[in-house]
Amino acid sequence: MPDESSDLDEDPGSTGLEQDFLATLPAGTGEIRLAGAVAFVSAVFFIAFVPFARVPMGEMWAFIPLYESALAVSDLITAILLFGQYGFLRSPGLLVLACAYLFTMLMTVAHALSFPGLFDHGGQLGGGAQTTAWIYTLWHAGFPLAVMAYALLPPPRAAAAALDGKAHSATSREVAAGVFITVLTAVGVVMLTTRGHEWLPVLLSQRNYTPAAYAAFGGAWCLSLAALVLLWRRRPRTVLDLWLMVVMSSWLADVALSAVLNARRFDLGFYSGRIYGLLAGSFVMMVLLIDNGRLYARLLRSHDSERRARRRELAQATELRAANQALDAFSYSVSHDLRAPLRAMDGYTRMLEEDYSERLDDEGRRLLRVVRDGSRKMSNLIDTLLDFSRLGRAPLMSRTLSLDELARQVIEESRGEIGAREVEFVIGELGEVHGDLALLRQALANLVGNAIKYSRNKPRARIEIGRMAGATGGEAPHAPPVYFVRDNGAGFDMRYSSKLFNVFQRLHAEHEYEGTGVGLAIVQRVITHHGGRVWAEATLGDGATFYFTLPTAQEAPGEPPAADRAGAQAAQAQQSSQPR
């Protein structure tokens, strides 16, 4: 729906929910045309009634309780709806407006009870001949004063979509205080017009209006006009403001026909003005009820969408469990059906080497070694793929552990791969992390093994395991640590870094460096499963550094790890160190 966007300033703190309420929804072209049409029709009828405002009519006493009962119910519903919107928007203007409608409801009831001859000769409130007229005057002066206060107060901006307990209690107290003050004001008006009616100027004499009446009613009419002008000048103009302008236009017609342009009670102006008052009290109620219906429909659609989403998630979870069960069965089948022939191959080749070694020449013995090496590689590849497929499907067995101790254990276990080579290991102060010991041991072993393998051509290899204070080298002392494994080996070309953590991706020729091409993919899956991030940077021929983040021992399990935020900052800060 088009709207007057120029009238509305953007609020950077807005949550978006405030656009669901008439008190903050910008008045669009459709609403402006509808309100304008209603105001135009009202003006046409007003002009038609003006020449006949003083025409005497019959005294229809039933008209008064019917009209004022309908008006009281309409005003009460409107007040309740506005109190409800105040509970979300916490706007003082809405609270004042809700209290204004509550005040008109109370004054309507008091006006009916005080009307002479309706229920009792002198009215039910024990007032005098001027009581009813003065209740009408103060009633029709009090409402526009409240509307003027609403128009002068700042418009609501931020919505409180989810009030906490303290905010909800504060809102309830504010509404209760507003209701108390309104009731107290209404009681004060009734006391003034009943107990103090003798000190008030005379407005009615023999059912005809006195000059003082025209002055009092004219003052109330001017207040309504002032309220209309303030609403017109109010920016930003909302749908509620627009319909309040229609209300005040009808309010002007009410006061003019029933108290200024007519001559006495029960003439045409008296009846037509009361009808205008009833319409004025109904406009805002109708649009608020329509708005509540729209919001309820949206709530139902949202609930239905959420329910369908939960059903989809449940179906996906069921499918995932079935897929995991099928994958477990497949893994068992692969493990059993492939290992059996591999074990047979390895056993027979070993028997040939041991029992028929003297009958074989050097070439035969070499081919047997090739077969045995191939079967062992195939067995290792099966183990690696099965490990990779199981990663992330089981919950983490997390606990606080020392990364320093884990690094020393991994290095000690990796010394068998070094042989006679000269390799220097440097372990910095790593501290404690929160994670699954077995999985982190596997990831760190793959990183260290990777560094050992790709630095074998160096006369003196150097492998360093350490941590950084911040994601980009310590510039932000408050940032969580980033761990790294650095070597001075072959490195790799950063142009192909996006393939680094993919399965079966090799950035070096296979005959140069053996491997399955799955180790770094396992590292990435382990780190990601812990809520961290892994990336690398390298120079071809001059070594590589693998960075990773993990939840620290101070971070509560289940909360998003701060290390993940540090990894994200590092990935954005260094284009050359994107995850691969």
Side-chain angles (χ1 to χ4, degrees), residues 214-261:
Y214 286 112
F217 297 152
W221 190 90
C222 290
L223 289 175
S224 298
L225 181 62
L228 178 62
V229 171
L230 288 177
L231 287 170
W232 174 263
R233 296 171 59 86
R234 180 177 165 91
R235 292 295 187 275
R237 187 182 301 147
T238 65
V239 175
L240 180 59
D241 299 338
L242 188 67
W243 284 102
L244 279 175
M245 290 167 62
V246 177
V247 168
M248 296 317 301
S249 299
S250 299
W251 201 267
L252 286 170
D254 174 4
V255 176
L257 286 172
S258 62
V260 177
L261 300 177

Side-chain angles (χ1 to χ4, degrees), residues 99-112:
C99 291
Y101 272 95
L102 180 61
F103 175 76
T104 61
M105 186 276 293
L106 296 172
M107 288 294 95
T108 302
V109 174
H111 185 267

Side-chain angles (χ1 to χ4, degrees), residues 4 77 159 161 179 228 251 285 298 342 361 369 386 396 401 405 414 423 434 439 465 487 518 542 566 572:
E4 297 177 342
I77 293 174
V179 171
L228 178 62
W251 201 267
M285 180 194 70
R298 287 186 56 184
L342 288 174
D361 56 12
R369 285 194 299 271
L386 290 177
L396 292 175
L401 53 93
E405 181 62 27
S414 302
V423 179
H434 192 83
L439 292 181
I465 305 175
D487 65 72
V518 183
D542 197 26
Q572 295 173 357

Side-chain angles (χ1 to χ4, degrees), residues 471-542:
T472 57
E475 293 88 338
H478 62 279
V482 176
Y483 307 95
F484 62 87
V485 176
R486 179 179 294 129
D487 65 72
N488 62 343
F492 55 85
D493 193 334
M494 288 295 292
R495 290 180 299 173
Y496 308 109
S497 62
S498 60
K499 302 178 180 180
L500 188 62
F501 293 100
N502 294 340
V503 182
F504 302 130
Q505 292 294 333
R506 308 287 298 279
L507 301 188
H508 297 276
E510 189 173 350
H511 66 273
E512 294 182 60
Y513 302 98
E514 298 177 351
T516 62
V518 183
L520 291 181
I522 289 177
V523 171
Q524 186 187 50
R525 183 166 288 194
V526 169
I527 298 300
T528 303
H529 195 35
H530 279 79
R533 187 183 296 268
V534 59
W535 68 99
E537 60 181 5
T539 303
L540 189 60
D542 197 26

